[in-house]
Structures are given as structure tokens and as C-alpha cells.
Amino acid sequence: MADRQQTDPAPQWWSRPEGTTEEGRREAVPAPRPGTGGEDHVQDAAPAPASDVSAQDAPAQDVPASDVSAPDEPAAVPLVRYDPWGAEPLQVVDRGRTPRGIRLWQVVALSLGTALLAGGIGGYLGVLAERQNSTRLELPQTAGAADRGRAPDSVAGIAATALPGVVTLHVRGTKGSGTGTGFVLDQQGHILTNSHVVADSQEITVTFSTGESVAAELVGRDSGYDLAVVKVSGVRGLQPLSLGNSDNVEVGDPVVAIGAPFDLSNTVTAGIISATGRPVTAGGDKGDGSDISYVDALQTDAPINPGNSGGPLLDAKAHVVGINSAIRGADKEDPTRQGGSIGLGFAIPVNQGKRVAEEIIRTGRATHPVIGVTLDMDYAGDGARVGDKGEDGKPSVVADGPGARAGIRAGDVITKVDGQRVRGGDELIIKIRAHRPGDPLTLTVLRDGRESTLKVVLGSANGS
């Protein structure tokens, strides 16, 4: 395209503003834009021929002599300005900026984007190939199939044998709800647990280790022994636990406790027999002593917590040797007192539990062995002192009772039972209740500063 564009003369009806002179036009026309090439075009442009000028244009004027350059000076290039009223307007084509080549930063950005895209695709293909590859990363592990068999006398073996016969009891009563443990006694659905677990119960639910839950009814309970029996009906496949002999237990024997501490069913803990024949009393919430439990207990360090009550304490042959019933915590005044087990747990010997359970199943209640005397529970000396008077002003020694027939008198202090030391009234009751009604006992009695031995045959009284 040419740098100049020829236009036709302006129409006759065009006119210039009045008073516009050639000099004024020169001053009014702006200079060419720098960098557009207008300077060159201005210099190359020739004056328009006279024939192209419109008839209405003003007559041309002679150039004054002063405008002519001196001969010895270089000729000055006349500055030609664009006259929009002229017959031949000076025009140039603005082609915009000259295209430039690709810059360095564009090349770098394009290369970086290409590299990232290629890396992402390559990584994805690599992961896909790794997943599809038959060779996988595996850490070292003992070869061979796992041996799930356990020795019968190991904790795992004992637990596997006993767990199917252990149940969790959920009890709801007028004073709230609670959780305890029990274990199956026979195929008829009788279950042994603690009396304090089902006391004041209105609804009892039994949950087996399989997760099956059924309703149960209370057969009977005895607060003096802290034992109770409940029964489920219509349950097949019951697995009663085998009862051992608590008289054969020795200190240091390994034992396993199973229960539901804080409603965590089927919890298994292990320990040893820490002591035997521990006199333990529990209960007494009523204040009249009718709900106090007297237990000649087995002590164990197997962890026992609330919810374990009524659960079995098992020996190395998975035989029940005790019924978990109580724990000893730190003193209440101690700020560091723990609410759970501190390794002092107590279980009712199974021999005592067996006799009480048999009586409850047979008659709905249990009997207590007695000697027919009233003890002075406020006596602070060593031994158990026979009171001066009984309840309601009656004699402290029941007439024609076991104690009266043995020769016991008011004020006597009983210091030993079958040669075992007795330190107070509670211990005497516990030692007596560890036997059956009709069992013979030898009592060591202190009277008027002299000791003597008396033979007594235990009587029977209905429990509470």
C-alpha cells in the first residue's frame, strides 16, 4: 500500500473558517507524530499544483524576499504541515507496532509447562505400571500359617474355655441401673452372681459372649454372703463352668478373672492368689447391719474393677475357685485415691458359693451357720466378746442354743476358731460362716483371765 492517499477535491459547499490564513493554518496544524514516518513523507511531499486548488481557495501569495535563504547558507527545508482544508491532504497509513519475535521468558514458560505436564503424565503412568506389576513391596514377616492353638493352662487357653460360660448382667431398678457379671451353673439356665448386682432389681438382662441377650428372673439372693442366683429360659447350648475346690488354693497360684468392668464385656485379666482367708466385710448401706456381707475371701492381684462383680476367678485348669466380689481402693481421705483396681481384689471362695447357690436354687434362700450368741461389736480388745445383753433386752446367749450347750457365757472373749486367731467380732462371724450348719468347731475362750477350749456344733438360721 502506498504511503500517500490521493483524495478528491473538497466539495464546493465546504468552506474554511473565517479569518483563517495560511500562517494560521500552519500554526494550527499539529506536527507529525514522531516515529510514524511522517517526517520523511512531509519532506518528500511536493506542493499541490495550482490546478488542484478549489476556486473558492484564497489566491496564492508571493513568498517574501526575507524567506529566501542566503546563498552561502544551506537551504532550509520548509516545514510542511498538514492542511485539512487543502485540496491534497497529506495522509499516512498507521500500521501499528512492528511485530516482534518470541521473547525469552515466553520460551522459558513454555518449556517449564511442557516439562511439568510430561512429568505428571510420566509419574501417573509409573504408578499405574507399579500397581499392575506382579512384584509388590512386602515387609519381612514370619513365614507359615499362624498357630492359633494355645496351651490349655495359658491365659489364652483358660479364657477360650471359660468365656462361653460367662455372662454380663444389665440390671434396672428403682434406684437406677447397673452392670455386673455372672457365670452359668447348669444346663437349666441358673447363673451365679453377687447379691449387690441384682439388689432392688426390676428388670434383668443377660448377655452372653456371643452377643445374644435374653431376659432373666431372680431366683433368690443372700446379702450376708453377697450371692444371688438368676435364671434364663429357652436358651440352648449353655456351657456351664466347672467348679473347683477353693480349699486347695495356695498363695502364688496363677488365676484369671473374667468380667465386664465399666460394661466392657468379656474382659480378661490375670494375676495370682495373693492371700487366703482374708476377712472382708462389705455393704452396710442400710445402717442396720442387715446387708453387711461377711466373706472369708481369696485375695488376688488380678485387676478387678466395678462391673467385675459376680464374675469367675479361675485356676490354671479353667475351674472356678472364687466369685469376684470386692476391691480395696486407697483411703478416701487420700487425694491420690484411685477409683479402680490397685491390685487388691477379693473373691468369695467357690466352696461357699456352691453351697449357697444350691440352697437358693432348692429353696429360694440360704441358711447361715450360727453359735447362738450376741456379740459386742463395740469391743476394742483382741478377740470377739460376747455381749452382756442381746437385742430387745434378751439374754446374749440363746437358751439351749449351740453356744449355751457348749458352755459359752456372757462376757466371754473368743480368741481362736480351730486354732486360728480372731481379732474382732467381724472375723468371728466370717470364720463361722465359712462352714456349714452342723459342722463342729473348737473355740478358744478367755474368761476371768484364763483360756479354755469349748466344742460347739454350728446351728442354722435363715439368711436375709
Side-chain angles (χ1 to χ4, degrees):
M1 177 181 294
D3 292 341
R4 176 182 303 183
Q5 179 177 354
Q6 181 68 37
T7 60
D8 294 333
Q12 294 298 323
W13 47 266
W14 280 14
S15 63
R16 295 172 179 158
E18 295 183 359
T20 304
T21 63
E22 186 68 18
E23 189 67 20
R25 288 196 301 270
R26 292 180 180 179
E27 293 295 331
V29 177
R33 289 179 298 175
T36 61
E39 297 87 342
D40 295 340
H41 289 299
V42 169
Q43 293 177 2
D44 294 342
S51 59
D52 293 338
V53 178
S54 172
Q56 295 182 0
D57 293 342
Q61 298 180 1
D62 295 336
V63 178
S66 60
D67 294 338
V68 179
S69 301
D72 56 349
E73 293 180 1
V77 178
L79 177 61
V80 180
R81 299 178 180 273
Y82 170 66
D83 184 2
W85 305 102
E88 188 178 74
L90 182 62
Q91 296 179 352
V92 296
V93 177
D94 188 357
R95 300 178 181 275
R97 295 183 178 181
T98 304
R100 299 179 180 179
I102 299 176
R103 297 184 178 182
L104 179 60
W105 70 267
Q106 294 175 325
V107 176
V108 174
L110 180 61
S111 301
L112 181 60
T114 303
L116 291 175
L117 180 61
I121 295 175
Y124 173 76
L125 294 177
V127 172
L128 186 62
E130 177 66 21
R131 291 181 177 179
Q132 294 179 349
N133 194 345
S134 59
T135 303
R136 295 186 179 182
L137 175 64
E138 292 187 3
L139 297 176
Q141 189 177 23
T142 303
D147 182 11
R148 302 186 64 87
R150 298 293 185 270
D153 58 350
S154 66
V155 175
I158 296 169
T161 300
L163 276 172
V166 181
V167 302
T168 301
L169 284 81
H170 295 94
V171 181
R172 187 175 64 181
T174 58
K175 298 181 180 179
S177 59
T179 303
T181 310
F183 58 92
V184 180
L185 292 174
D186 53 32
Q187 293 289 346
Q188 286 71 42
H190 292 106
I191 295 171
L192 184 62
T193 186
N194 281 140
S195 176
H196 72 262
V197 171
V198 296
D200 194 35
S201 62
Q202 293 180 323
E203 181 180 335
I204 303 173
T205 302
V206 171
T207 302
F208 293 87
S209 60
T210 58
E212 179 185 6
S213 296
V214 296
E217 61 177 352
L218 178 63
V219 177
R221 69 186 188 92
D222 188 286
S223 60
Y225 288 114
D226 195 18
L227 293 171
V229 176
V230 301
K231 183 179 181 181
V232 296
S233 301
V235 180
R236 298 181 180 179
L238 294 174
Q239 299 188 34
L241 298 189
S242 299
L243 305 183
N245 187 346
S246 53
D247 290 341
N248 295 334
V249 172
E250 298 290 342
V251 173
D253 285 348
V255 288
V256 172
I258 301 179
F262 300 100
D263 204 14
L264 299 173
S265 302
N266 306 321
T267 296
V268 178
T269 57
I272 62 170
I273 296 293
S274 303
T276 60
R278 289 294 197 199
V280 175
T281 58
D285 296 334
K286 293 182 179 180
D288 57 2
S290 61
D291 61 339
I292 296 179
S293 302
Y294 299 90
V295 180
D296 195 30
L298 301 174
Q299 180 182 331
T300 179
D301 66 348
I304 298 173
N305 289 285
N308 275 101
S309 296
L313 187 68
L314 305 152
D315 63 11
K317 296 182 179 179
H319 295 163
V320 180
V321 294
I323 302 97
N324 302 318
S325 300
I327 61 173
R328 168 70 177 178
D331 294 335
K332 294 183 179 180
E333 293 77 13
D334 186 353
T336 62
R337 182 176 184 268
Q338 297 182 4
S341 173
I342 60 172
L344 294 175
F346 302 95
I348 301 170
V350 72
N351 289 6
Q352 182 173 322
K354 177 178 179 296
R355 179 185 70 81
V356 173
E358 289 171 346
E359 290 188 348
I360 291 176
I361 293 173
R362 185 172 58 251
T363 66
R365 60 194 312 171
T367 59
H368 297 171
V370 295
I371 59 175
V373 300
T374 300
L375 299 177
D376 180 7
M377 303 303 291
D378 295 329
Y379 179 68
D382 192 16
R385 181 179 183 276
V386 180
D388 297 324
K389 292 183 179 180
E391 296 180 1
D392 301 329
K394 297 180 181 178
S396 59
V397 180
V398 178
D400 200 27
R405 291 193 294 267
I408 297 176
R409 301 176 183 177
D412 286 350
V413 178
I414 302 173
T415 58
K416 294 181 182 178
V417 175
D418 285 342
Q420 296 181 352
R421 193 75 179 177
V422 174
R423 297 177 178 81
D426 289 343
E427 284 197 32
L428 177 61
I429 296 174
I430 290 170
K431 296 298 183 184
I432 291 174
R433 288 192 178 180
H435 296 79
R436 295 173 177 265
D439 288 348
L441 295 179
T442 300
L443 303 180
T444 301
V445 177
L446 180 63
R447 181 187 300 164
D448 298 331
R450 293 184 300 177
E451 284 189 345
S452 61
T453 58
L454 302 175
K455 300 290 186 179
V456 61
V457 177
L458 296 178
S460 177
N462 290 328
S464 58

